[in-house]
Amino acid sequence: MTYKNSKLRLLFIVNQGSGNKDNSLSEQIINHFSQSEIGIEIFELPRSCKTDDVKKAIEKSNADRVIAVGGDGTLKLVAECLLDSDTPIGIIPAGSANGMAKELGIPVDIEEALDIAASGITKKIHATLVNGQLCVHLSDIGFNAYLVKKFDELPSRGMWTYAKSAWHAFWNHKKMMVQFKVDNRQIKTEAAMVVIANATKYGTGFQINPNGRLDDDVFEIILIKEYAVMEILKIWLSKAPWNPKKIESFQVTDVTISTKQKAHFQVDGEYLGKINKIEAKILPSCLTVVVPESNSAP
């Protein structure tokens, strides 16, 4: 649906599988802007949707802003279409994982998020390219990727399902031997997981990368040598420095990480199988996002 002769044109890319099944996301968007001069167009993602289909919809709409309505996966799809473009990407968090929305301070309330999509300010951020995959949020190998796999295999969603997946992963996942080089230092150690951290926290709100910024010239490697949940909680609550015997952080623009045996791998909440090598590099100032006026520095 499109409203002509409008001051601002918004294209909403809607993941129909997200949100409350009793309340259509498209209907909420239409109702929200029914009395507005803002022009809207809605493209509902079909079950089997290719990136080219979304690109064509974006080009055809000639929109001022493109809004991803769904979870981190929907945002990733839209970001792939608008990489190195000046067209701003807005976010309506309506998925099971909304990590980037939390990162950027976008509320989960749909009405409030729609207001921000239309009137928020824009910012340039970087992303990473991880094994050829665009990563807007976080990617990792090891424990969390295994948790994502188990979560995807369960029929239900929600925090209880996440807790069951975490419990299973805690007792069944084994550490791995990893190796990589940072500056002149060669790292070779056992690890529970290694995070390629573009953002600072997971969709649960758990902060894994307190020093991260989305608008600087580096990304972080978080090397977790032990299942150090209490260590991370201590840092999160007290801002105390990490115990380097358990967790280390490195700032890089590119890195190659190898593992002795294949490890579970995920990008932006999507499980991608088992690998024994990661090649990651920064993509500087490659995306423009819409954020609340209060969030001038992600």
Side-chain angles (χ1 to χ4, degrees), residues 7-278:
K7 294 181 179 179
L8 181 70
R9 300 183 304 277
L10 305 179
L11 171 64
F12 291 87
I13 307 295
V14 179
N15 184 347
Q16 301 174 82
S18 301
N20 186 340
K21 302 299 185 295
D22 297 328
N23 198 357
S24 165
L25 290 167
S26 296
E27 287 181 13
Q28 283 184 272
I29 294 165
I30 292 169
N31 291 337
H32 184 87
F33 292 102
S34 62
Q35 303 300 317
S36 170
E37 293 184 350
I38 294 172
I40 66 166
E41 185 172 340
I42 294 173
F43 178 79
E44 293 186 342
L45 294 173
R47 289 186 180 274
S48 56
C49 183
K50 298 178 181 178
T51 305
D52 286 344
D53 297 331
V54 181
K55 283 183 178 179
K56 288 177 183 176
I58 292 172
E59 290 170 2
K60 184 180 177 181
S61 73
N62 194 30
D64 298 303
R65 294 180 173 187
V66 178
I67 317 301
V69 185
D72 287 329
T74 307
L75 172 61
K76 183 175 184 290
L77 176 61
V78 173
E80 287 170 345
C81 297
L82 291 172
L83 194 65
D84 294 321
S85 164
D86 289 328
T87 301
I89 303 170
I91 304 172
I92 307 300
S96 57
N98 304 294
M100 274 302 288
K102 291 179 181 177
E103 190 79 28
L104 297 172
I106 297 169
V108 294
D109 181 87
I110 298 294
E111 301 298 321
E112 292 179 21
L114 286 168
D115 284 337
I116 290 169
S119 61
I121 62 173
T122 63
K123 282 189 63 68
K124 282 283 188 183
I125 64 169
H126 66 244
T128 54
L129 191 68
V130 185
N131 283 16
Q133 289 275 338
L134 176 67
C135 176
V136 184
H137 189 226
L138 295 162
S139 63
D140 52 57
I141 54 172
F143 176 79
N144 184 67
Y146 182 65
L147 192 161
V148 169
K149 177 178 184 293
K150 301 311 295 183
F151 184 79
D152 287 345
E153 291 172 351
L154 293 173
S156 59
R157 288 292 178 263
M159 289 307 296
W160 176 242
T161 302
Y162 184 86
K164 288 195 291 185
S165 302
W167 182 256
H168 180 93
F170 182 81
W171 286 108
N172 291 276
H173 182 261
K174 296 179 180 179
K175 290 198 292 186
M176 57 195 168
M177 181 63 70
V178 300
Q179 183 172 338
F180 58 93
K181 187 176 181 180
V182 176
D183 297 326
N184 294 319
R185 181 182 171 189
Q186 188 73 38
I187 311 293
K188 187 175 183 180
T189 183
E190 276 196 333
M193 61 185 280
V194 182
V195 186
I196 304 298
N198 192 45
T200 65
K201 52 192 170 187
Y202 285 106
T204 57
F206 197 83
Q207 190 174 46
I208 192 69
N209 181 27
N211 297 320
R213 287 178 60 90
L214 289 168
D215 56 357
D216 59 8
D217 297 322
V218 295
F219 63 92
E220 285 74 34
I221 304 168
I222 310 298
L223 174 64
I224 300 179
K225 302 173 189 177
E226 303 287 344
Y227 296 103
V229 175
M230 294 308 297
E231 179 72 12
I232 296 173
L233 285 173
K234 180 189 77 176
I235 297 157
W236 191 6
L237 296 172
S238 68
K239 309 300 180 185
W242 285 351
N243 179 348
K245 293 182 179 180
K246 295 182 179 179
I247 305 173
E248 284 191 85
S249 175
F250 309 89
Q251 290 190 320
V252 298
T253 55
D254 62 86
V255 70
T256 298
I257 302 170
S258 60
T259 62
K260 189 174 182 180
Q261 296 178 321
K262 286 191 174 182
H264 296 281
F265 173 52
Q266 70 88 20
V267 175
D268 285 347
E270 181 183 359
Y271 180 74
L272 296 174
K274 297 179 80 172
I275 61 169
N276 55 17
K277 187 177 183 180
I278 281 182

